[in-house]
Amino acid sequence: MSILSAQELCYSYKTKYQTVQAVKDVTCDWEAGVFYALVGKSGSGKTTLLSLLAGLEKPQSGCVLVDGRDLRELDVDLYRRSRASVIYQSYNLFPLMTVRENVMYPLKLAGVSDADARTRAQDALARVGLNEDYWKRLPAMLSGGEQQRVAIARTLAVGAEIILADEPTGNLDTENSSQIVQLLARLAHEEHCCVLVVTHDPEVAKVADIVYRMDSGHMKEAADE
C-alpha cells in the first residue's frame, strides 16, 4: 500500500480579482523508497499541492491519505513532527541556535530527553556529512549547502518517512545543488523514505525516479506528455 495518496484533491483560493483553482482533481499514490520530482511553471499548483500533502492546508474536496487513513482524522501536528517533514528553499533554521540545537529542537518539542535528542541530532548530522566541527556553529557561519544539510538532518533526526521538499536547491550553486539532490535520492533509495521534491531545476528531475508535471492545477506523469 502507498504511504501517501491524494484522492480527487481540490483546492482554490481567492484573490482580489478572481478565484484561482490551484489544485484540480489530483489523484496519485506515492510510495516509500522512491524519489519523485514535481515540475511545472510558477503558479501551476506545485507548492499548494505540497502544502496539502503536509497538512498545512486543508482540501476543499477530496482527501489526503496516509497509510490509507484520511489525514483529517489524524493528529496533523503529530504527523508533521514524526511522519512527514517539509524542507524549504530558505532552510528555516533558527539563527541564534547552534547547528546541533536546530536539529534537536523538534525532538525536544516531542518530549525527547536532552541526552537522547543530542545523540540523535549528532547521528543525523553525521549522516549528512556534517561532523562535530560544525555542531556548535551558528547557521550564519555555514554555506547555503551546509544550511540545507542541517535542515535535512533535522528531518532525519525525527525519523520522518515522508520528505516534502519545496525548491530545496533554489538558493544553491550547481555543486551544492548536486550534492543535496544526491543526498535526497539516497534518503529514498537507502533509507526507504518517500521523497517528493517541487523543483524548477531540470537536474533534479533527471535524478528522480518518477517525474510529475503540474499544469493549471492538474497533475500528470511527465512521461505521458
Side-chain angles (χ1 to χ4, degrees):
M1 181 173 62
S2 301
I3 191 171
L4 186 65
S5 299
Q7 299 292 323
E8 299 181 347
L9 204 59
C10 294
Y11 184 86
S12 62
Y13 61 89
K14 292 184 178 181
T15 69
K16 183 177 180 180
Y17 302 104
Q18 62 181 333
T19 298
V20 177
Q21 190 75 37
V23 175
K24 301 177 183 177
D25 296 318
V26 169
T27 295
C28 189
D29 295 321
W30 293 275
E31 298 180 358
V34 182
F35 182 16
Y36 300 92
L38 183 59
V39 302
K41 297 178 181 178
S42 295
S44 61
K46 304 185 304 298
T47 295
T48 301
L49 177 59
L50 206 73
S51 295
L52 291 166
L53 297 177
L56 297 169
E57 299 287 353
K58 294 182 180 180
Q60 287 155 344
S61 64
C63 62
V64 174
L65 302 178
V66 182
D67 290 332
R69 295 184 61 192
D70 193 326
L71 181 55
R72 290 170 295 195
E73 299 175 357
L74 305 177
D75 183 329
V76 176
D77 290 334
L78 181 60
Y79 166 70
R80 286 200 298 269
R81 283 202 303 267
S82 61
R83 297 292 307 278
S85 285
V86 184
I87 299 170
Y88 296 96
Q89 178 177 342
S90 56
Y91 321 128
N92 280 17
L93 301 179
F94 296 103
L96 299 182
M97 288 185 180
T98 66
V99 163
R100 183 169 57 192
E101 289 168 343
N102 265 281
V103 179
M104 290 174 62
Y105 182 73
L107 296 171
K108 298 295 295 296
L109 286 180
V112 176
S113 69
D114 283 349
D116 192 18
R118 187 177 301 109
T119 298
R120 287 167 63 175
Q122 292 171 179
D123 176 65
L125 287 163
R127 286 158 68 190
V128 300
L130 296 178
N131 62 30
E132 59 187 304
D133 294 338
Y134 293 87
W135 295 349
K136 294 184 179 181
R137 297 184 190 182
L138 296 174
M141 301 166 69
L142 306 179
S143 69
E146 289 165 348
Q147 289 187 62
Q148 194 61 284
R149 286 175 182 269
V150 177
I152 294 172
R154 189 165 54 190
T155 292
L156 292 175
V158 300
E161 304 159 86
I162 300 167
I163 298 175
L164 305 169
D166 191 3
E167 298 286 358
T169 63
N171 287 333
L172 305 179
D173 59 30
T174 300
E175 181 179 357
N176 278 302
S177 293
S178 177
Q179 292 174 357
I180 293 301
V181 171
Q182 294 299 327
L183 176 56
L184 291 170
R186 194 166 75 241
L187 292 180
H189 301 148
E190 297 179 13
E191 311 256 355
H192 207 58
C193 295
C194 173
V195 180
L196 175 59
V197 178
V198 164
T199 185
H200 284 99
D201 187 346
E203 297 304 312
V204 177
K206 287 180 182 178
V207 175
D209 301 311
I210 298 174
V211 179
Y212 291 104
R213 180 173 297 279
M214 291 289 288
D215 184 9
S216 300
H218 293 288
M219 190 184 79
K220 64 179 178 178
E221 195 166 338
D224 293 340
E225 295 184 328

